[in-house]
Amino acid sequence: MFNVAVIGAGRIGRIHAKNAAGHSRLSLKAVVDPMGDSAATLAAETGAAVSTFDAVLSDPTIHGIVVASPTDQHLDQTLRAIAAGKAVLCEKPIDQDLATAKGAAGQLGGKKPLLLGFNRRFDRHFGALKKQLDAGRVGKLESLLIVSHDPAPPPVSYVKVSGGLFKDMAIHDFDMARFLLGEEPVEVFASASCLVDPGIGAAGDVDTAKTVLKTASGKICVISNSRRSGYGYDQRVEAYGANGLLKADNVLESTVAHWGADGPELDAFQNFFLDRYAEAYRAEVDHFAAVMAGEATPLVGFDDAVKALELAEAAALSVKTGQVVKL
């Protein structure tokens, strides 16, 4: 058994805490959050104790730390945890500033037990698509389409501290693009608007974007992001090759369909990321346990975090200048 602590008792922290508490190889020993009531509630629900970050770092019986705190704390807490000899699962992004993140390469780069929380890498549907793509099912990959549309926009209060659409939301898609393309994008062009909530625009952010990535060999990936779909949580990937298409479609609430005079009616899409990626989050924590056991190296590490952040900053710069950004 490996003892772990979760830093942050918010929405993401609760997911990781409950998955760790229910894992056969993990024991959730501590929950840390400056909001005492939130920490106490989550600790009571999972059988953990409320603690402090300093106490967790100095506890030799704690083997791993899940960093699910606000983004502006990710890098500092990860650095301190790694320095204390802990394995770390850090939520994305590693930081909101690319230069600052790159500055931590000496402490976090290489074979450190650091797993970044790009949970979609652990989604079985996207994983199956990747496996068939690598096996040459559709021949040489030529282009990708990644669609990520939220059912409704987040509160403006969240937007103000999120780092913006590209670093908060699209960064998952930048990581997925790198994962599937098999080579690094060298050009980024993005166009974005505020069409969903004027408050998001007033906060200095956008809520609707299209980003085009291009690799040195000419592969093209189009990423579509929206803070509001109007029809549910839309998560799709399409990979086009010389011999056809591989598609990972949306997951529905059930497989039940009604066929009538007006045609078929399917069930709704799974509701937002808590449901759609519940299995992926469990698989991510399972991989973290394997990392702590020395059975696996992190599937997504520090270099991946930096490269996804680089794409996010390039997309934002492209929107600002109206130009292609070369990497």
Side-chain angles (χ1 to χ4, degrees), residues 70-290:
T71 302
D72 60 1
Q73 300 174 33
H74 286 182
L75 184 59
D76 176 67
Q77 291 176 343
T78 297
L79 285 167
R80 293 178 63 191
I82 290 290
K86 314 296 186 183
V88 176
L89 166 55
C90 177
E91 269 303 322
K92 59 79 198 168
I94 187 69
D95 196 74
Q96 291 183 352
D97 180 72
L98 178 61
T100 303
K102 284 184 173 180
Q107 299 103 304
L108 300 180
K111 297 182 179 180
K112 299 293 192 302
L114 171 60
L115 175 64
L116 263 294
F118 288 110
N119 64 294
R120 295 178 194 180
R121 293 266 195 132
F122 298 91
D123 178 75
R124 64 186 175 92
H125 306 284
F126 298 154
L129 185 148
K130 169 69 170 174
K131 185 177 293 185
Q132 292 191 41
L133 191 61
D134 289 348
R137 184 74 182 275
V138 294
K140 182 180 179 181
L141 176 66
E142 296 172 348
S143 64
L144 283 173
L145 171 64
I146 299 176
V147 178
S148 181
H149 295 175
D150 287 350
V156 173
S157 58
Y158 172 82
V159 170
K160 290 179 179 179
V161 298
S162 69
L165 181 142
F166 292 113
K167 292 180 181 179
D168 172 59
M169 178 185 183
I171 198 165
H172 277 293
D173 307 303
F174 295 137
D175 180 70
M176 184 54 55
R178 294 184 57 249
F179 178 58
L180 296 175
L181 285 169
E183 59 180 297
E184 298 297 334
V186 296
E187 293 183 4
V188 180
F189 177 75
S191 183
S193 299
C194 184
L195 302 173
V196 175
D197 183 350
I200 292 177
D205 197 12
V206 295
D207 54 33
T208 308
K210 297 290 189 288
T211 305
V212 180
L213 310 177
K214 188 174 182 180
T215 70
S217 71
K219 295 176 185 175
I220 294 174
C221 175
V222 176
I223 299 172
S224 178
N225 295 112
S226 175
R227 289 292 196 182
R228 180 208 60 211
S229 68
Y231 54 86
Y233 190 42
D234 190 359
Q235 299 286 292
R236 289 174 283 136
V237 173
E238 297 180 4
Y240 297 86
N243 300 324
L245 160 71
L246 283 169
K247 182 178 182 180
D249 214 335
N250 284 297
V251 179
L252 307 182
E253 289 285 2
S254 77
T255 60
V256 176
H258 170 256
W259 290 26
D262 295 329
E265 294 181 4
L266 305 179
D267 208 342
F269 297 162
Q270 285 191 326
N271 181 45
F272 211 22
F273 74 95
L274 296 176
D275 297 321
R276 171 61 182 85
Y277 291 115
E279 183 181 356
Y281 278 115
R282 289 192 292 269
E284 184 178 54
V285 167
D286 190 56
H287 181 66
F288 187 47

Side-chain angles (χ1 to χ4, degrees), residues 22-36:
H23 196 280
S24 61
R25 303 178 70 184
L26 302 179
S27 175
L28 182 63
K29 188 170 183 180
V31 173
V32 177
D33 194 293
M35 302 296 290

